[in-house]
Amino acid sequence: MKKEKLNAQGLACPLPVIQTKKLLLENDVVETTVDNFIATQNLEKMANQLGYNFEMVEEAKDKYIVTISKGEVTEGVVIDTLCDKCVVPVTQAKRTLEEEPKVTLLVRLQEHVDSLEKFAEKNNHGIKVSTIEEGFKVEITRKEVATQEELPVVKDESYIVVINKSQMGHGSEELGKRLIKAYLYALTEQEVLPKKVIFYNGGGLLVDRQRSHVLDELRELENNGVEIVCCGACIDYNKIDLAVGNPTNMYFIVEDMRKANRIIQP
């Protein structure tokens, strides 16, 4: 088993993720040292995306050891949300099941279990819920995909939305805030919802616990399976307290935009 160590302390986002991913091409295990918690979250997302094991040890306030390995995960991808108020279980499950046949989520609240059960029922996924000391263990198994001959020809209407301002358009700030609220409300009413909404720069204020005026609309999107993410560098710069969604980084933003069928910016 080939193992490599990477000292990524002091490296700006998204370099720890990029360099770790490169090392994983030639190694079975990569141990990455970073100096902030958001970097560990971004590394965990990459591990989940690739279906690899993830472990993190906090050695000091500014020193975290992340170990990512390619060994088999007996329960599929495991996502621990017990100590993370930002992680939304439904969106995490949805994203993982796009790549993996099974995902296991550790959640604290019954409302999270209820949301996951609705998600599984809506998509005909198998689900198993058990009680653990800290909360609940939810195992979701992806439904069987029809063979290529059985698949109907359907137009791909998928899209993502990117928002880089706390208001919509130019001119009156008050009007712009009303417009972005109306836009997000209208988005919740669409027959085809976006796969993801990405916030960066000034748009990050819309996911802030105290400064946002559109949290109801964003929570409605989230409850319906839309993934909401915000640039980690913008979270740090604007001192954002995430009320909805999860932090991301420029590497994943570029990747999401590159893979998107369409990108809409209000």
Side-chain angles (χ1 to χ4, degrees), residues 8-22:
Q9 291 175 295
L11 295 184
C13 167
L15 290 178
V17 169
I18 293 174
Q19 294 191 11
T20 300
K21 190 172 185 179
K22 286 182 178 179

Side-chain angles (χ1 to χ4, degrees), residues 26-245:
E26 300 179 353
N27 295 276
D28 301 301
V29 180
V30 175
E31 183 181 285
T32 304
T33 303
V34 293
D35 54 17
N36 64 88
F37 184 67
I38 288 181
T40 71
Q41 292 179 309
N42 290 327
L43 287 166
E44 183 176 12
K45 287 178 184 177
M46 182 194 69
N48 289 338
Q49 189 180 61
L50 297 173
Y52 296 159
N53 294 301
F54 173 89
E55 294 181 8
M56 188 269 286
V57 176
E58 182 178 356
E59 289 197 347
K61 187 176 181 181
D62 58 352
K63 186 176 182 181
Y64 301 83
I65 309 296
V66 172
T67 303
I68 298 177
S69 61
K70 296 180 179 178
E72 292 185 4
V73 182
T74 57
E75 297 179 288
V77 176
V78 179
I79 301 176
D80 185 350
T81 73
L82 293 171
C83 299
D84 193 338
K85 296 180 180 178
C86 297
V87 171
V88 180
V90 169
T91 55
Q92 293 290 313
K94 180 179 179 182
R95 179 163 186 161
T96 302
L97 288 170
E98 289 176 355
E99 305 290 338
E100 300 295 328
K102 183 177 180 180
V103 61
T104 299
L105 301 104
L106 308 181
V107 299
R108 185 175 299 280
L109 303 177
Q110 178 63 48
E111 64 187 65
H112 291 155
V113 176
D114 296 340
S115 297
L116 289 166
E117 287 179 334
K118 290 179 182 178
F119 164 74
E121 180 181 357
K122 180 179 179 181
N123 293 278
N124 297 319
H125 294 325
I127 185 169
K128 177 182 177 183
V129 180
S130 54
T131 303
I132 58 177
E133 184 176 351
E134 303 90 341
F136 304 90
K137 175 181 176 182
V138 182
E139 300 170 82
I140 302 178
T141 305
R142 188 175 62 198
K143 68 177 180 180
E144 291 296 326
V145 180
T147 62
Q148 188 172 1
E149 291 74 23
E150 296 172 325
L151 290 173
V153 178
V154 179
K155 181 181 177 182
D156 184 4
E157 297 186 49
S158 63
Y159 63 101
I160 65 173
V161 175
V162 298
I163 298 177
N164 61 12
K165 298 183 294 183
S166 60
Q167 63 185 64
M168 187 174 181
H170 303 280
S172 167
E173 181 178 351
E174 180 182 355
L175 176 59
K177 288 184 175 180
R178 292 180 185 175
L179 291 176
I180 195 67
K181 186 175 181 69
Y183 175 87
L184 290 169
Y185 174 77
L187 196 61
T188 67
E189 297 295 313
Q190 295 301 300
E191 183 176 348
V192 179
L193 295 174
K195 286 186 174 180
K196 180 178 297 188
V197 182
I198 301 173
F199 292 91
Y200 57 91
N201 210 326
L205 297 176
L206 295 176
V207 295
D208 183 79
R209 195 174 304 278
Q210 300 298 328
R211 290 172 284 182
S212 175
H213 63 296
V214 295
L215 293 181
D216 288 342
E217 289 78 10
L218 295 181
R219 288 186 177 116
E220 180 66 20
L221 288 170
E222 219 170 41
N223 289 337
N224 283 286
V226 177
E227 185 175 0
I228 295 175
V229 297
C230 182
C231 162
C234 306
I235 292 173
D236 288 341
Y237 185 87
N238 291 312
K239 295 180 171 56
I240 292 170
D241 179 14
L242 274 181
V244 291

